[in-house]
Amino acid sequence: MGKPHEERKEEIIRKTLELAADKGVTRLTTQAIADRVGIAQSTIFKHFKTRDAILGAAIKWISSQIFSLLEQTSKESSSPRERLHHLINRHLTLVSKHKGLPRLLFSDRLHLESPHLKKAVQQVMSTYMKRVSEIIREGIEEGQFRNDADPEETARCFVALLQGLIVRWSIFDFSFPIEKEGEELWRFLWSSLAPSQEEDRDPL
């Protein structure tokens, strides 16, 4: 007896990300995905009509994981500074478990060949930056961040720093511990956000 529909779909998505990490997006054929899952190619088409439908579902699945992290971080800490710090750690831990994500997000397939997938990622990034800017704005209002920081500009820099680290990690074939460098990223970010009287304090 086959697996339930939603369980099989998530398995296909996870195996697609694994395959993207190992082989790159250009080799992501539906046959290769079926082989990785251990099912017939025809079974893939029972759940997804095309390869791009699988990639779109993968983007949607990862985005749901990321926004779940945002919600979890907000519930566990009332401090904007702690939330921002924990968000970096949890974001990088998530990416480290799904190495195919950067290979997909920075592929020609997404950037040049599929406007639909590109738009989906743009929407995720815009929402993510908005949520980060809200954390920063709250931190400014509470006096945890410097009062001359611009929330939107800082959120863009936050995302750029994260993306830059993730791209470098992917280019170097995941050969260094990305979570450790996430701590260095946080110390750099904190040095830019800390109110002058707190610059010498432990950045958590």
Side-chain angles (χ1 to χ4, degrees):
M1 184 177 178
K3 293 184 178 181
H5 179 67
E6 291 303 319
E7 184 179 341
R8 179 66 82 188
K9 284 182 68 175
E10 182 167 333
E11 182 183 26
I12 291 170
I13 289 168
R14 287 177 176 271
K15 294 300 183 181
T16 296
L17 290 171
E18 284 182 13
L19 191 59
D22 295 342
K23 303 294 184 180
V25 175
T26 57
R27 297 186 182 180
L28 275 180
T29 64
T30 52
Q31 184 61 62
I33 294 169
D35 291 343
R36 178 62 66 101
V37 177
I39 57 178
Q41 187 181 29
S42 59
T43 303
I44 293 285
F45 294 123
K46 291 180 181 179
H47 302 283
F48 299 99
K49 292 183 178 180
T50 64
R51 185 187 70 158
D52 273 5
I54 301 174
L55 299 182
I59 291 169
K60 184 177 180 180
W61 183 80
I62 285 290
S63 68
S64 71
Q65 301 297 306
I66 290 173
F67 291 125
S68 177
L69 292 181
L70 277 164
E71 294 299 328
Q72 180 183 358
T73 301
S74 296
K75 290 178 180 178
E76 291 180 357
S77 175
S78 60
S79 164
R81 183 173 68 163
E82 289 181 0
R83 292 209 303 272
L84 204 60
H85 182 202
H86 293 165
L87 182 58
I88 291 174
N89 292 336
R90 289 170 176 168
H91 189 129
L92 294 178
T93 297
L94 175 67
V95 172
S96 72
K97 294 177 180 178
H98 302 288
K99 297 180 175 66
L101 177 61
R103 297 277 165 90
L104 171 58
L105 293 183
F106 304 109
S107 68
D108 281 353
R109 182 63 191 162
L110 190 145
H111 284 249
L112 301 175
E113 300 170 13
S114 179
H116 175 72
L117 293 177
K118 186 175 183 178
K119 184 177 180 180
V121 173
Q122 288 173 342
Q123 290 174 340
V124 172
M125 289 179 63
S126 295
T127 303
Y128 187 85
M129 283 191 290
K130 181 180 178 181
R131 298 287 293 276
V132 171
S133 69
E134 289 170 355
I135 296 173
I136 294 167
R137 183 175 290 105
E138 185 179 344
I140 294 170
E141 292 172 354
E142 294 184 8
Q144 294 187 16
F145 301 146
R146 53 190 291 178
N147 59 18
D148 62 343
D150 181 282
E152 284 73 26
E153 180 181 325
T154 305
R156 289 194 296 270
C157 291
F158 176 92
V159 171
L161 288 168
L162 265 181
Q163 287 181 335
L165 172 57
I166 292 168
V167 169
R168 182 163 59 85
W169 178 64
S170 178
I171 289 174
F172 280 86
D173 294 322
F174 320 115
S175 61
F176 60 85
I178 193 171
E179 293 96 333
K180 180 180 178 181
E181 294 212 8
E183 286 301 310
E184 296 172 4
L185 187 155
W186 166 248
R187 286 194 290 272
F188 174 80
L189 185 65
W190 173 245
S191 70
S192 301
L193 279 174
S196 57
Q197 68 270 23
E198 295 194 20
E199 286 179 351
D200 294 328
R201 284 184 54 182
D202 186 345
L204 298 179

